[in-house]
Structures are given as structure tokens and as C-alpha cells.
Amino acid sequence: MMSLPWDPTERDNMANKQRGEGTSVEKKAENKKGADDFNLALDSSDDEAPEEVTFEDSKARAVESLKLALDTARREKELLKEKRRKRQEFFQEQKKKKLLSADLLEEIDSVPSKKQKQAEDKDEEEEKRKTKKPTGVRNLKGSYTVSTVTDRGQSDYQRQAAEDFIQSRLYGPGSCRSSNNEMLSLQNKTRADKSAAVQFVKKDWACKEKAKAEKLKKRWIHKQQIPTS
Amino acid sequence: MGEFKVHRVRFFDYMPSAIRSMAFNSHTERLAVARADGAVEIFNFADNYFQEKVIAGRDGRSIEALCWVGCRLFSAGLDGEITEYDLENLRPRYSIEAYGGPIWTISGNSEGTLLAAGCEDGTVKMFEVLEDRIQFQRNLSRQKGRIISLSWHPSGAQIAAGMMDMIRIFDSETGHATHRLLVDRGVGASKSREVVVWSVACLNDHTIISGDSAGKVQIWDGLTGTLIRTHLVTKWDVLVLAVSQDESSVIAGTSEGTIVQFQFISSTVGQQDKLWVRTRTFKNHSHDVRALVHTDSAVISGGMDTQLVVRPLLDKVEKNTQESALRKIAFPHRNLVSCAKKAGLLLFQFPDHLELWRLGESDRNETFPVKTRTPGESLPVKRKPEKLIQLKTKGEDHICCSALSPCGSWLSYATVAAVRLYRLQISSNNISIQKVSKLPRELKSVHQLCFSSDSCRLFASSSFSSVVVVALDQTDCKYLHTLKHKSGSRQPIHILSPSEDGQWLATANTDCEIHVFNLRKMKLHCSVPAYSSCPTAVSIHPTTGNLVSVHADQQIFEFSLKQKEYSEWSRQLQRQGLHPLWLQRDTPVTSIAFNPNNPAHIMLHDVFMFCIIDQSLPLPEAKTKFYNQMILRSLPEPQRLRESHAFKTCKNFQHLLSVNLLEDLSLVVVERPLVDIVAQLPAPVRQKKFAT
């Protein structure tokens, strides 16, 4: 609500009404006025001044609201900070669980440094000396050894994919392939001393298919005989 | 002449592996062949196409390309590694990862300094060829799509790479792709599939020839990047191209099994305008052709039907001679079957396992002897042959060699990584096999294994052309000695043959040397005089002590160990010369056996025939009929003696993998008909023929 330095005239009120701001206080005042007007209808006049709101009051109110806003912002920040801190602690704990215990680390740390010291000593003694340390294997106190894991999963997968590519291009759909049986049978048919197709010439050709065919044949004959018998 | 009871063995399911890639070294005249199971074979073209060396493969190694750089052999495969082979020790020397995914092709430049590898991720990786290794140099600019084939320009300035749907030309100095040649897809249904440029070849005048999966051979101008000519060769894929040394002829191998030749000739004689014209078609194979080599005088092809075919070009060689004959190499030139003569057992060597079989029996109590039976009669089988043991190898390496002791109680095999020895106990109803765990350290890098005839010693040929002798006890073995010869050769020993009495050991290596060691004194006894052809079979006669050797050029020699010189019979054979039909055989003799009942007999076999040489009979003249057994049978007795000559051949059994004589004087003949192999090959293309 704007506090005018002068008493609001009718013209100002009209401007407000036109603006449509509907200053609630004014409306309230008007309603009040209206309510009062019921009782004192004859006494109301448009020139009545609205309630006086002092500058200090409004300033105090503004300051209050500012403070409130700041407070909420601060609170929110603090809440976020808390959350982050908690999460960080949780991660730290997880990491700790994953890592080896501190004494084990000390042990591992101490051994290679010892080795290095020994090597340096040896170097000091003899000028020409090859220090060959086997890569990938370290002997530690106790029964630990470190070695690399041969991981061929990726290369096997790629090799299989490449082989599948060749297989599909040469033998896949659209490659118009026949069978060895057909090829040999055609050879049998077209050569000088013609003979039968290979599956009849060679007794052990496609034994399983022949056995299956025999079974089906027997079943069919049996079926044919049942209605007649 | 003896009659034999013959065990015809057809249960060896030998299955050769498809030929995937070939590379020819014209300086040493060696052809390297890579098979689908990862094995690499070296053929000596100067020595009657003899299969000198075999480097066993391993599970998971699939070779896509082979390349000679000088005398060094490199291979690359879908496992992403480039391997260099040690041809003296028959093993891979080292492998390096190319880190580009599966490698589809490798190719060396003409100076022999750089090796280019085409990878799945679209990069062409350049490797520098150093003295003892190769080192990654740089990548050419990376492409979208896999690099299937590569070809260097003879000057080394450009590389043509065949990819999916296109060919890229790279400048090898800068590494940038200069041209992109777009390859048309096929018509009809294949328009939706990408066309794969399976092979490219770059010629000196910057012509690029490409073969693709739509069945076209296209000729491009590499300088402008334009298509000159298209030849539609087949309905299926053109899988491989090869260019002759003088760049006047190009051959293309197809999925149908045909090889089409294009020659750079002028369409009318005398005119200067030359074109690439399709001239000849060879149908050498029944299945896809996946590897081709074009030498000066021949076309060498191999593919899914596992046979290596050498077709001499009739305009380069003299017609109707031995040189111009078509050669098909379908069976290995070494023995994959070991026989325990005393126990009647057979050991079959497969790449990844061994099978031990007991032979069947026909009649235990003979009511009448064999001689009264008619030849060729089939005897009833009373007890069937049975498979006793199937032994799988541990690990991924394939088996190089295997051996079975004559008494049948020891079994041994070797891979590139290790040697394994097993003790067998076979009784009528119980079989036990026990591994001998602690083997001597000296038994490593073994190429050939052999047991002595009393089964007390094991001989193993090792690196630097030496032989390791190991003594066998009841359950363990002890290292005895390493036999070395003084000739300085480091080539691997491929034949080991101990004598029956255990005194001598004959060895032969791929440098064509034969050395005989005295086993009682454990040192070299003598070396047979050098002969230019590699020995394919060597054996020592049990009674006369003569060493009989048969070589790759089909020559036969007999060397007396006591006198350290060639025997009289051998000199006479050399003076007279062998019969031309004997010399024209194209498969080598892989084993020699002797008959204890008849010391004058030498029994040999190759893939197509089995022969007994009778040293007491006269040698055949060049004009006499060589295969005269059928004729002799029809002649009366006195005339038969006059007509017969020393070489008695029998062609009843085909295709022979092994012939052995058992202790009870019955023959074991291991056959593997070619039809049985063809029946198990992958599918051929469907050919529509008229009236079928």
C-alpha cells in the first residue's frame, strides 16, 4: 500500500480504481466504510481519509519480511550443507571399507622401500650391476603374490563378432548355398559311369535321417492298415 | 611273394582344415599356407612341392593373412595380434597386439621395411620391421568402417585399402586418404547389403584392381580415382586376387571354386592399346577359393575344400611334361598314425586330441593258412575294432607330433608348449592310463617323437637339430643324452627311425641331411652323402643293417651303415634309373617297412598305392609296363618269373594314410577316402546345371 504524502483526493482514488490495483486496504476501508455506511449511510463521505499507517510501521514490516527471507535462505543453505556433509562422510566410510587395512598398507609400503635401499647399496658397491626386478610379481611378507589377470574377454568377443560377419556374408541368408550331398550326387549323375545319388551309394550317409525316415514309414503303414483291419 | 591278411581301417576320421591364406616367397621358393585352425605349413616348391614344415595351430588363433618380409614370416588374425614365426623351431617367435580389434589383412612394402595392418576399427596401422621384432610406427587416418584388404603400390608411396562399399587410397607419407572410390552394390536383393571389397591390388602404373562380394572385378585409375572397367565374373563373391610378378596377368578366385584370369593384352594383335581382358577360367575347386598366389609359371590356389592345387600355365611351361601336370595336394606329407606292432593298437593324431584303437580280429584259430585263400577275399570280422582311449590335450595348443611304443605301453605327444608322456596298461577287459608327471627339462620344443623298438627309450627331436634320448622305466623317465651332429644345420629334424636291434638311430632334417647315431656309444656314427632333395621316409633294415631312404623327388637310396657307402643294389638302381611312372607320382612315400620273413622285400606306400620292392628281382626298364600285377596273375608260372620286375604295386586301397606290418605278419592299411572328407566340408554354392 502506498502512503501518499497528501490526503488522497477523489481524483487519486479514481486513478486507483482505473488502475484496478484494488488496494485491499482501501477496499477494506471501503467495505468497512460500506459496513459502517449501513449504519451511518447518511454520514459517509468520500473524503474520509484512510487509516493512517506510519512510516516506521511499514519500514519495520519491510525489514521483518526481508529478515524472514534471509533466514529462510540461510536455513536452506545450512540444510544443503548438512546433506552434503552427511553424504561425504558416508562415501568416506565406504572407501575405507574397500581399502585394505592400514597395517597391511604399511607392510606393503615398507617392503619395496627396503628393496630399493638394498638395490641402492648394491649400486654403491658395484658400479656395473643390472637390477632386474620381475614385473608383475612381488614377494611380500607372508604369502601374498601380485600378478596380472589375463583378461581376454573383449578380444574374444570381437573375434567372435568378426567370425560371425564372415560367416553371415559367405553362408548367411542370400548366399545361395547347396549341400555337399547335392554336389556329389550331381557329380555322380554327370560323370561317364553314372551312378546313383550319394545318399544311396554310400551306406553310412545320413544314417540318422534314414532311421527317422524308416520310423515314419512304418508309422504311416501302420496307420493305413488300421482302418482296413 | 607273400600273401597278407589285411586290416582295412576306415575309422580314422581325419579331417583337414580349410586353407585361409597363402604367401609365396620367390627367393627361397617356399609357399606358406595358413589353415583355418591356425596351423601354418611350408611347402618347398623347388623340391617337388614337399610339405617341409608344419607349425601347429592353437584354439582361438584364426589367421586371416600371411606375409613374407624377406625370409621372415608374419601372420595376423582376428584375435588382433601380429605373429612372427620361428621357422627353425617351428613355433611362433612372438605376438604383438595391434590394439585395433581384429586384423583383417597385412601387407609388406616392396623394400621390406614397413608392414601395414588393416584393422576392424578402420585404421591402417604401420609397423616398422626391425632386426628382431616389429615396432608400431603410426596410424594412417582413421576411417569409418573396417579395412578388409590392403595393397601397397610397388614404390611404397601409396596404399589402397578395400573397405565396405568403397576403396580408399592413402598417401603413405602423410597418412591422409587421397581418393575414395565408390563400389556399386549388387543388383536385386543384394542392393540392400553392403558390398565388401574382399581384395585389392595396386599396380605400378597406378591401376587398382578390386574384387568384391557382388562378384565384380573392377579396374580403377588410381591417380584420378575413376572407374575404368567392370567385369562381372560370378553371381557369388570374388574372394581373392593375385597379380603376377610382371603385372601382365591378374587372377581372381571366386566362391564357386573357379579362378578367372585377366591379362593385359591388346585386343588385336600388333596394336599398342592394351586392355585388361578376361582370358582363362580354371575350375580347380569344388568349394570357395580363399587364397591365391600367381607365380611366374603357375597358379596356386587353396580354399574351403582343403586342397592345395598348383596349375601350371601352359603358355609358360612345356606341354605334356611332368612340369605341366596339375598337382593337387590333399593329404599331409607326414604320418599321423602310429602303430604298436606287437600289441595291435593304432594311435590317431588329431589337432586337439588323440585316439587309441584296438584292431579287430577275424579268425583267431586259423583252420587253413592264408595262402590258400583267394586274394581280395573279405574275411568275416569276429571282433570289431574298438576305441580304447580318447585323450584331449590340456591347454589351447594343438598337437605337433605323437608316438606309441611298439609294445603299446607308452604313449607320448608334444605341443609347442610341452611334452606329455603316459603309461598305458591294457588287458582284455581293463584299460588304465597314467600320466608321467616329472619329465626331464631337456624335453622341450620337440618336433618329432619316436620310441625304440624295445620300448625302453624315447627319442625326441629338439631345437638346433639335436635329439634328446630319454630312458623309460616302469613308471618314470630319466634323461640320458643329447645327440648332436656336426654339420651346423639348425633345421628341425622331421624323421626319426631307430633300428630293430636298438643300435642305430637314423635322423633326417629339412636341410636334406641324414645322420646316423650309434646308440651304444651315444655319438654320431656317419652321415649319408648330401643329396639335393629332402628325405620323406628313412628306415634301417633289421637284418642287413642298410639304411633305405626315399626322397621328395621319388628317388630311392640304400646306404650300408657298416661300410659307410651306398650298397650295390642302390648303385645299380641309380645307374639304370627309376621307371618314369614311379618318378611321376605326385605324393611322397611317408613310411618304409620290412618283412622279417623275407629280407629282400622293402614295403613302401604313398597316398595312391602300396608297393613292395623285391631286391632279388631285376629292376624294371623304362619301357616295361610298370603296373603289371594283374597281367602277371594271368600268366602261367614259368613265364611269370621271367616277366616280373622288382616293383610290385597294389592300388586296391585308397587313399592311404598309413601302412604298417604287425608282428603276426598281417598288414594294417589306414584309408581315408576323399569322398568322406568332402562330405563333411561346409556347404558349396548352388549351381544350376542344365538337365539336372
Side-chain angles (χ1 to χ4, degrees):
Chain A
M1 186 206 75
M2 274 201 322
S3 52
L4 300 167
W6 61 89
D7 293 327
T9 57
E10 210 182 289
R11 210 160 138 236
D12 287 328
N13 289 344
M14 210 158 60
N16 276 348
K17 278 184 199 160
Q18 276 180 349
R19 249 184 263 140
E21 275 182 31
T23 44
S24 49
V25 177
E26 233 184 7
K27 268 202 173 153
K28 270 190 193 156
E30 275 185 12
N31 290 343
K32 243 197 201 164
K33 243 177 34 185
D36 287 340
D37 281 340
F38 273 124
N39 304 326
L40 315 157
L42 293 164
D43 291 62
S44 64
S45 82
D46 288 329
D47 290 329
E48 247 190 57
E51 277 183 39
E52 274 204 17
V53 181
T54 55
F55 186 65
E56 282 85 17
D57 265 343
S58 56
K59 193 164 113 181
R61 234 174 281 150
V63 164
E64 254 185 70
S65 63
L66 260 175
K67 234 200 242 174
L68 256 174
L70 279 172
D71 269 336
T72 48
R74 210 189 314 134
R75 233 183 296 130
E76 278 181 25
K77 261 197 217 162
E78 273 181 22
L79 269 171
L80 262 175
K81 256 197 205 170
E82 274 287 324
K83 256 198 203 168
R84 265 191 242 133
R85 209 187 309 137
K86 275 198 190 147
R87 213 185 277 169
Q88 183 77 358
E89 275 180 22
F90 179 64
F91 286 155
Q92 292 277 6
E93 275 191 44
Q94 265 197 344
K95 202 174 177 183
K96 261 194 189 167
K97 278 194 204 152
K98 263 191 166 183
L99 291 174
L100 304 165
S101 67
D103 16 320
L104 198 55
L105 284 170
E106 260 183 43
E107 213 182 286
I108 296 175
D109 269 340
S110 66
V111 174
S113 62
K114 259 197 232 161
K115 268 200 173 172
Q116 278 176 13
K117 270 193 190 164
Q118 279 179 9
E120 281 169 16
D121 289 338
K122 281 187 187 161
D123 278 342
E124 285 169 4
E125 286 173 3
E126 300 172 24
E127 283 177 63
K128 292 181 195 170
R129 186 156 176 114
K130 284 187 199 166
T131 47
K132 250 191 189 176
K133 209 158 80 163
T135 49
V137 178
R138 299 199 283 187
N139 287 325
L140 309 166
K141 264 190 262 175
S143 55
Y144 304 105
T145 49
V146 178
S147 57
T148 49
V149 173
T150 48
D151 177 25
R152 292 176 49 135
Q154 177 74 344
S155 68
D156 275 348
Y157 170 73
Q158 283 179 330
R159 181 175 57 85
Q160 194 57 44
E163 279 174 10
D164 291 340
F165 165 72
I166 299 183
Q167 193 66 20
S168 76
R169 288 310 302 225
L170 292 181
Y171 296 98
S175 53
C176 297
R177 295 269 165 180
S178 159
S179 69
N180 284 308
N181 184 6
E182 223 181 280
M183 182 189 74
L184 289 172
S185 303
L186 278 176
Q187 278 179 10
N188 273 357
K189 180 170 179 178
T190 51
R191 66 181 187 198
D193 50 333
K194 299 183 203 307
S195 71
V198 173
Q199 64 259 40
F200 301 108
V201 168
K202 283 175 68 59
K203 301 239 170 40
D204 54 354
W205 190 284
C207 324
K208 287 191 201 137
E209 277 89 332
K210 280 189 184 150
K212 211 162 109 181
E214 271 296 314
K215 251 195 254 175
L216 282 174
K217 191 164 85 175
K218 277 197 187 144
R219 211 190 296 166
W220 187 85
I221 291 174
H222 189 72
K223 237 193 269 181
Q224 293 297 310
Q225 282 174 354
I226 286 178
T228 56
S229 65
Chain B
M1 183 65 225
E3 275 95 0
F4 298 99
K5 200 160 75 165
V6 178
H7 296 254
R8 281 186 84 162
V9 170
R10 287 188 175 208
F11 42 82
F12 181 19
D13 295 327
Y14 165 69
M15 196 60 208
S17 192
I19 294 178
R20 185 59 198 89
S21 178
M22 297 197 293
F24 187 67
N25 186 342
S26 43
H27 299 289
T28 54
E29 292 228 34
R30 301 287 201 276
L31 180 77
V33 173
R35 300 243 173 201
D37 61 356
V40 175
E41 299 166 3
I42 310 278
F43 288 84
N44 187 346
F45 271 33
D47 194 6
N48 206 16
Y49 307 100
F50 177 55
Q51 186 188 58
E52 269 189 338
K53 300 175 186 171
V54 178
I55 302 175
R58 62 185 274 137
D59 293 333
R61 190 205 296 167
S62 78
I63 301 181
E64 285 293 308
L66 274 184
C67 179
W68 286 99
V69 176
C71 290
R72 298 158 75 172
L73 183 63
F74 292 92
S75 80
L78 297 180
D79 51 0
E81 292 181 350
I82 301 180
T83 308
E84 182 178 350
Y85 292 94
D86 182 350
L87 296 174
E88 281 170 12
N89 289 323
L90 300 185
R91 50 166 61 224
R93 193 169 270 156
Y94 58 82
S95 300
I96 69 166
E97 266 269 3
Y99 297 110
I103 303 178
W104 290 96
T105 173
I106 50 169
S107 180
N109 64 352
S110 42
E111 287 98 44
T113 52
L114 290 174
L115 198 63
C119 305
E120 172 83 8
D121 63 352
T123 50
V124 175
K125 295 186 188 289
M126 302 287 256
F127 289 86
E128 221 178 298
V129 178
L130 301 172
E131 269 249 348
D132 54 346
R133 62 199 166 92
I134 56 172
Q135 194 174 48
F136 174 72
Q137 197 191 57
R138 65 194 218 278
N139 280 345
L140 300 186
S141 85
R142 184 172 171 166
Q143 304 298 314
K144 293 200 186 82
R146 51 173 70 97
I147 312 268
I148 301 271
S149 51
L150 278 182
S151 174
W152 284 87
H153 185 265
S155 68
Q158 286 176 329
I159 303 177
M163 301 166 57
M164 311 285 287
D165 278 338
M166 65 171 121
I167 301 168
R168 280 281 195 185
I169 304 178
F170 293 90
D171 181 327
S172 60
E173 295 290 310
T174 61
H176 295 312
T178 50
H179 290 289
R180 186 172 67 158
L181 316 176
L182 292 170
V183 178
D184 290 327
R185 296 190 179 181
V187 285
S190 39
K191 199 122 177 116
S192 55
R193 276 207 304 187
E194 288 175 319
V195 64
V196 182
V197 180
W198 288 114
S199 183
V200 278
C202 219
L203 304 180
N204 220 338
D205 56 357
H206 294 275
T207 315
I208 295 176
I209 305 185
S210 71
D212 58 39
S213 63
K216 314 193 289 289
V217 171
Q218 290 183 302
I219 301 164
W220 311 78
D221 182 355
L223 289 170
T224 56
T226 53
L227 176 65
I228 298 176
R229 193 89 189 269
T230 303
H231 295 270
L232 184 63
V233 160
T234 169
K235 206 170 81 173
W236 290 275
D237 303 29
V238 171
L239 290 173
V240 62
L241 288 176
V243 185
S244 67
Q245 194 67 20
D246 56 358
E247 296 189 353
S248 65
S249 157
V250 165
I251 44 176
T254 69
S255 266
E256 288 179 284
T258 56
I259 296 162
V260 180
Q261 183 184 20
F262 293 86
Q263 282 177 299
F264 195 50
I265 47 181
S266 52
S267 41
T268 42
V269 176
Q271 284 201 359
Q272 279 308 302
D273 53 343
K274 287 193 175 180
L275 298 170
W276 283 99
V277 178
R278 176 176 172 174
T279 50
R280 283 184 275 223
T281 307
F282 303 106
K283 179 128 171 61
N284 292 340
H285 298 271
S286 55
H287 289 67
D288 309 39
V289 174
R290 297 198 77 189
L292 270 186
V293 166
H294 197 326
T295 59
D296 287 333
S297 59
V299 163
I300 306 158
S301 55
M304 302 301 285
D305 65 351
T306 73
Q307 296 182 14
L308 181 69
V309 174
V310 180
R311 184 88 195 70
L313 294 167
L314 293 176
D315 54 346
K316 298 276 164 62
V317 294
E318 230 179 277
K319 280 193 217 166
N320 297 328
T321 56
Q322 175 69 351
E323 237 189 336
S324 66
L326 176 75
R327 301 288 301 247
K328 279 196 184 185
I329 301 169
F331 290 95
H333 290 178
R334 56 194 190 132
N335 236 335
L336 294 175
V337 176
S338 309
C339 178
K341 297 186 176 36
K342 297 176 192 159
L345 299 171
L346 286 178
L347 181 72
F348 298 142
Q349 178 184 322
F350 291 87
D352 57 348
H353 68 279
L354 295 171
E355 285 182 8
L356 186 72
W357 286 74
R358 175 164 39 207
L359 289 167
E361 273 183 13
S362 68
D363 235 323
R364 207 175 269 266
N365 304 319
E366 290 275 325
T367 46
F368 41 92
V370 184
K371 280 194 195 256
T372 59
R373 303 252 192 175
T374 52
E377 186 190 328
S378 180
L379 299 171
V381 175
K382 287 278 160 60
R383 189 188 63 182
K384 282 195 164 170
E386 52 175 318
K387 189 199 291 197
L388 299 176
I389 295 172
Q390 176 156 332
L391 189 64
K392 272 192 74 86
T393 54
K394 220 175 176 184
E396 299 177 327
D397 292 309
H398 288 173
I399 300 178
C400 292
C401 55
S402 59
L404 186 63
S405 69
C407 59
S409 47
W410 294 94
L411 188 157
S412 175
Y413 72 86
T415 64
V416 165
V419 177
R420 300 214 193 271
L421 182 64
Y422 295 86
R423 184 105 173 91
L424 298 171
Q425 258 127 5
I426 297 176
S427 57
S428 53
N429 47 3
N430 194 13
I431 309 158
S432 79
I433 177 166
Q434 215 180 359
K435 182 172 146 181
V436 175
S437 43
K438 282 216 181 78
L439 291 175
R441 274 184 303 116
E442 290 82 2
L443 271 184
K444 57 181 169 74
S445 177
V446 167
H447 318 304
Q448 190 64 261
L449 284 169
C450 188
F451 286 93
S452 63
S453 52
D454 55 0
S455 307
C456 288
R457 307 267 178 95
L458 171 64
F459 305 106
S461 83
S462 185
S463 48
F464 299 119
S465 218
S466 61
V467 181
V468 174
V469 182
V470 161
L472 301 172
D473 216 339
Q474 270 299 313
T475 44
D476 59 11
C477 71
K478 218 173 41 162
Y479 166 72
L480 279 185
H481 196 81
T482 303
L483 298 166
K484 292 200 180 128
H485 61 79
K486 296 187 216 106
S487 74
S489 162
R490 292 157 59 132
Q491 295 295 322
I493 292 179
H494 65 294
I495 302 178
L496 284 172
S497 178
S499 62
E500 280 288 318
D501 54 7
Q503 192 181 1
W504 312 107
L505 175 70
T507 66
N509 65 11
T510 52
D511 241 348
C512 312
E513 300 171 353
I514 302 177
H515 300 284
V516 181
F517 294 92
N518 186 333
L519 290 174
R520 306 264 162 82
K521 297 184 198 152
M522 287 294 186
K523 60 186 194 114
L524 179 69
H525 173 74
C526 65
S527 303
V528 176
Y531 182 62
S532 56
S533 177
C534 196
T536 61
V538 167
S539 193
I540 301 178
H541 200 291
T543 42
T544 62
N546 288 344
L547 181 130
V548 178
S549 64
V550 184
H551 295 253
D553 57 355
Q554 317 291 8
Q555 287 292 333
I556 307 174
F557 292 99
E558 194 187 21
F559 187 80
S560 163
L561 292 178
K562 289 198 197 81
Q563 279 110 22
K564 295 192 189 174
E565 58 179 23
Y566 287 116
S567 71
E568 185 50 46
W569 181 82
S570 182
R571 285 178 212 268
Q572 195 194 352
L573 183 64
Q574 288 306 304
R575 270 195 297 263
Q576 189 162 336
L578 283 161
H579 196 280
L581 281 178
W582 176 269
L583 293 172
Q584 279 166 18
R585 291 178 308 112
D586 55 0
T587 51
V589 172
T590 50
S591 71
I592 303 174
F594 300 100
N595 190 348
N597 270 6
N598 215 326
H601 284 180
I602 305 173
M603 299 160 69
L604 319 166
H605 79 91
D606 74 358
V607 171
F608 297 106
M609 65 102 202
F610 158 60
C611 175
I612 296 182
I613 300 179
D614 193 335
Q615 288 180 310
S616 57
L617 289 175
L619 296 167
E621 303 267 325
K623 289 179 291 241
T624 52
K625 200 162 166 58
F626 190 66
Y627 299 107
N628 61 352
Q629 290 301 99
M630 299 300 284
I631 298 172
L632 284 179
R633 212 176 286 173
S634 60
L635 290 175
E637 185 76 33
Q639 208 180 353
R640 204 185 288 177
L641 283 170
R642 265 185 287 134
E643 294 286 322
S644 50
H645 62 73
F647 286 73
K648 300 168 188 302
T649 48
C650 165
K651 290 196 160 197
N652 290 349
F653 314 113
Q654 310 225 335
H655 301 258
L656 289 171
L657 287 180
S658 171
V659 170
N660 289 292
L661 189 66
L662 294 180
E663 208 177 33
D664 61 355
L665 298 183
S666 57
L667 268 182
V668 177
V669 162
V670 179
E671 297 170 87
R672 182 64 173 158
L674 205 53
V675 176
D676 290 344
I677 295 180
V678 174
Q680 291 181 38
L681 292 174
V685 294
R686 177 181 299 275
Q687 301 236 323
K688 193 91 179 63
K689 285 210 189 317
F690 182 70
T692 54

